[in-house]
Amino acid sequence: MTTDSENAGTKVVHQYGNVCRRVDKAVSEADQGRKDVTLVAVSKTFSSDVIRPVLKAGHRVFGENRVQEAEGKWPLLSEEFSDVELHLIGPLQTNKTANAVQLFDTIETLDRPKLARSIAAELKKNPKPIELFVQVNTGAESQKAGILKEDLGEFLDYCRQELGLPITGLMCIPPVSEDPSKHFSLLASLARANALANLSMGMSADFAEAIRCGATHVRIGTAIFGNR
Ligand SMILES: *Cc1c(COP(=O)(O)O)cnc(C)c1O
């Protein structure tokens, strides 16, 4: 007898395997002597029971978009499975900075000076290894978070020189109604111009294109876990 949750787990592991193969294929086709692309499995809205089979299958890098939700799941899962690497991929309010810095290994959504100061203050109080990506609003959408491309150089100077923050990459979420490849290419050129190694771009619908454009991290939820 198998239970429903075991069946759901089998399905998710199967979909995870498919995504891994599709990522590998896109990496080999992109053929720029590329190193591996990190698959950030986006587990937001899914319960520990759905996430656990993917951990058992050996995956360790996960993305969550809300601090509070992640705090409800990941401390226990990280006790069960060693070496979990958690990425924050959603907006961060400064009143949650301390919790976020404590829980996450990478914060991909650094998007304003006030948050940069708040993270710097927290790291000074409680130092820990962490990586920060700056979110860039590549489509200059008024409702979307992120630094405008015109302001990126100045923001990076402030974060790195004045605050000493460990910034290692850029992240973007292209406008839904546009061809994402032009946004991926823009982000890649901004990363090159600013000597940043990591590029987080590409989701379930467009990760192969993102990898072609140089993504080092793809954030994939639906294709692994199903519809939210
Ligand atoms: C939810 C989310 C994803 C994953 O999107 P899917 O289409 O489900 O793969 C990626 N990035 C961010 C910032 C998200 O919020």
Side-chain angles (χ1 to χ4, degrees), residues 42 44 65 89-90 171 173 202-205 219-223 228:
V42 177
K44 66 187 185 198
N65 70 332
I89 62 168
M171 176 273 212
I173 308 169
M203 317 201 299
S204 289
R219 310 178 307 267
I220 302 180
T222 309
R228 292 179 291 270

